[in-house]
Amino acid sequence: MKKLFSSFIFIITVIAISTQVSTAQLFEKGKKVADGGLYFPSSTTILKAGVSYGIADNIGAGIEARYFSSSVGVFGKVNYDFAPSLNLGDKVFLYGGGKLGSYFGGGKSQFAVLGQLGGGYMFNEKIGANAEVEFGIINGSGSQFGLGIVYKLD
């Protein structure tokens, strides 16, 4: 896991150094954004990947898949990007939202509702990095910290 984390940080650093132009509004109406990353709760590392669609400027809705240990999670998610209304510049995004879904594994499933707050930095018009804190509302496992990348598909 240490090698995976080190490789992830290395890739983000290379992207940051090699790019210059940016536009930070994370969600734009009609545009898609892919994201992936790792959560670091105390017991195990969670791998996640998702895609969101801009249902309005600054609002994205999408789906996220997760894997950890022998469990898989599938969640619907909605986020609001606060950065444009806070005038945080053209490279920073700041979002909050929630997820609703289930974990499957070991012959059973568990429904969960999760909240999240995150922010990030766009290295150019397409690629950025983010950090996120996620917290369980219903059947969640406490709070966890995550690091990831975002990629604007459109």
Side-chain angles (χ1 to χ4, degrees):
M1 187 50 64
K2 200 173 198 180
K3 278 187 174 182
L4 181 64
F5 182 70
S6 297
S7 298
F8 177 76
I9 297 299
F10 175 75
I11 290 168
I12 294 298
T13 303
V14 168
I15 292 169
I17 292 169
S18 65
T19 58
Q20 292 130 6
V21 181
S22 172
T23 180
Q25 182 175 340
L26 188 57
F27 304 113
E28 296 176 64
K29 186 174 182 176
K31 306 277 180 152
K32 293 180 226 72
V33 177
D35 64 276
L38 304 169
Y39 283 116
F40 303 100
S42 59
S43 59
T44 184
T45 301
I46 299 170
L47 302 172
K48 69 163 187 144
V51 65
S52 294
Y53 179 79
I55 57 175
D57 282 347
N58 304 332
I59 301 173
I63 189 163
E64 179 177 291
R66 301 164 163 231
Y67 174 78
F68 67 97
S69 298
S70 60
S71 296
V72 174
V74 179
F75 288 83
K77 61 182 179 177
V78 175
N79 285 302
Y80 179 79
D81 183 5
F82 297 97
S85 60
L86 297 173
N87 296 319
L88 295 178
D90 67 349
K91 294 184 179 191
V92 176
F93 55 92
L94 179 65
Y95 60 92
K99 298 174 187 168
L100 175 73
S102 290
Y103 289 106
F104 305 93
K108 59 183 179 177
S109 66
Q110 181 178 8
F111 173 78
V113 177
L114 309 167
Q116 64 200 20
L117 294 172
Y121 184 84
M122 294 302 294
F123 302 121
N124 63 31
E125 291 182 11
K126 294 281 190 186
I127 299 171
N130 72 321
E132 183 175 281
V133 174
E134 182 179 82
F135 47 93
I137 297 172
I138 298 173
N139 291 333
S141 58
S143 62
Q144 47 200 6
F145 176 73
L147 294 173
I149 57 171
V150 296
Y151 183 78
K152 291 184 178 184
L153 297 170
D154 297 323

